[in-house]
Amino acid sequence: MTTILRGNIIHAPAFGTLETIPRGYLVLEDGIIQGVFPDLPERYGGCPVEDCGQALIMPSFADLHLHAPQYPMLGMGMDLPLLDWLDTYTFRTEARFEDTDYARRVYRQLARELIAWGTTRVAMFSSRHTDATLILMEELENAGVTGYVGKVNMDRSSGPAQEGTEESVRETLRWLENCHFAHIKPILTPRFTPSCSDGLLEALGKLAAERNLPVQSHLSENTGEITWVRELHPDCGQYWETYDKYGLWKPGTLMAHCVYSDRREQEAMAGSGVWAVHCAASNLNLCSGTAPVRELIARGVHVALGSDIAGGDQLAMSRAAVMAIRASKIRRMEAGGDFLTVPEAYYLGSTAGHLYFGGGAGFEIGHKLHAIVVDDSSLPEPARELTLAERFERSIYLMEKEHIRAVYSEGRLLPRPADGR
Ligand code: GUN
Ligand code: FE
């Protein structure tokens, strides 16, 4: 089936490149992109056109690091640094997800909100609970969110959220046996080195190799955390080596934060194909620091963005992109270097994440459509006619979910919440 969307098409096929096609045509065959055209090619002449008018048609967002069981504490508990924040607020909030009815309610709302904000791909942490994790995966799948979800593993220093080592491995196997979703796949998720015993890290590394599973965790987020890791693993020169030691440092491994990753750690990432997920809001809220995003990119590390709720206080990836820009300006004021531009931050919050999952660079031919249609007509009346690049910039800064008129995921137009989804 041929579908043609017409509107102001905007995408970022490369870091720092923004392409705009005024009132162009986006042609799909069974949800797969056939091309973007300023004028409709003759061969599509007879096909119906879905005209989005003056709205912006842009690739959707991808959130490569967030904690689903922290959604209930969104916008709260911002008065402590990482380790105290985990002990005081986070572990006890996550412990609530033992209750599957509660999990169902929270995760249904989260899944709908992700789509409402135009996030169609995620790499997400659940809690340690197998049943709640399966509920989360089901709710995401039903809402049209795609990507990875991980049952969290943590068998030490994790307060009421802790599990036994054997239990952790056994439950991980039970979870994997029950993951039968079309678009939500499992990712192994040792929370971070301090909350996993050596035995657990070893078991997870073996599982990752045996079943060819991807891995996500946290790296070099906070100075107290780094000191603790050094005490726990005196044989490792740097934090990343604690993951490498157990086979968890491999192509496609996602490492959130990397605020304090120095040249050696960055080179280890680039050399192994490990991705850095930059979570600027969380890094500021928890007083962690500002990550060396440009350095990472210059050294050849793949970087994407994460909301990291609820260390981050905003689910919207447009806002995560804005926070990445602000954090880069703080870093510039303190250490020099260039800040991130709006097209660069959008690339990291959209294209980079889609590429991680094997999607296209912008509206690349041959890939399933992941897109949002943004109606900016209710934003302040401008003093003069704006270029598409200016409208794009303003939309990234000011977009509310009400401006997102339509969301496409895996080539499919998702029903709107008002339609009784
Ligand atoms: N490190 C270990 N767990 C967490 C978490 O839940 N949030 C953040 N920001 N860092 C962590
Ligand atoms: Fe996190």
Side-chain angles (χ1 to χ4, degrees), residues 194-382:
S195 57
C196 296
S197 67
D198 296 6
L200 182 54
L201 290 174
E202 189 180 335
L204 293 173
K206 278 198 186 128
L207 201 54
E210 277 167 21
R211 306 208 182 183
N212 195 24
L213 288 166
V215 175
Q216 62 179 352
S217 195
H218 295 91
L219 181 71
S220 297
E221 174 178 4
N222 161 291
T223 51
E225 171 207 21
I226 294 167
T227 304
W228 193 10
V229 170
R230 196 171 298 132
E231 286 163 10
L232 291 170
H233 293 267
D235 55 319
C236 292
Q238 289 193 301
Y239 193 162
W240 67 274
E241 292 170 63
T242 65
Y243 295 119
D244 192 35
K245 187 163 101 181
Y246 296 106
L248 297 162
W249 188 261
K250 56 178 198 158
T253 291
L254 291 171
M255 283 291 159
H257 305 301
C258 310
V259 172
Y260 294 97
S261 296
D262 65 3
R263 182 191 181 115
R264 183 168 174 273
E265 192 159 272
Q266 292 175 20
E267 285 174 353
M269 302 186 84
S272 297
V274 170
W275 286 56
V277 188
H278 176 46
C279 308
S282 167
N283 295 159
L284 296 174
N285 285 333
L286 301 182
C287 297
S288 298
T290 57
V293 177
R294 276 203 185 280
E295 262 183 52
L296 284 158
I297 293 170
R299 294 216 162 93
V301 180
H302 293 291
V303 179
L305 298 188
S307 66
D308 193 27
I309 68 158
D313 54 295
Q314 299 287 340
L315 191 62
M317 287 304 292
S318 50
R319 295 180 183 173
V322 171
M323 284 313 298
I325 295 168
R326 291 208 180 102
S328 73
K329 289 179 175 173
I330 294 172
R331 195 171 173 88
R332 175 198 153 104
M333 289 185 275
E334 289 176 344
D338 284 337
F339 54 77
L340 292 172
T341 66
V342 181
E344 285 172 343
Y346 172 63
Y347 173 91
L348 297 177
S350 173
T351 312
H354 292 301
L355 288 171
Y356 176 78
F357 290 105
F363 290 130
E364 192 181 333
I365 294 169
H367 292 274
K368 290 257 175 82
L369 183 67
H370 281 255
I372 55 175
V373 177
V374 179
D375 179 355
D376 62 349
S377 61
S378 64
L379 292 177
E381 185 180 331

Side-chain angles (χ1 to χ4, degrees), residues 133-147:
T133 303
L134 291 167
I135 288 170
L136 171 61
M137 296 171 90
E138 187 178 286
E139 289 298 332
L140 292 170
E141 175 107 336
N142 290 343
V145 183
T146 70

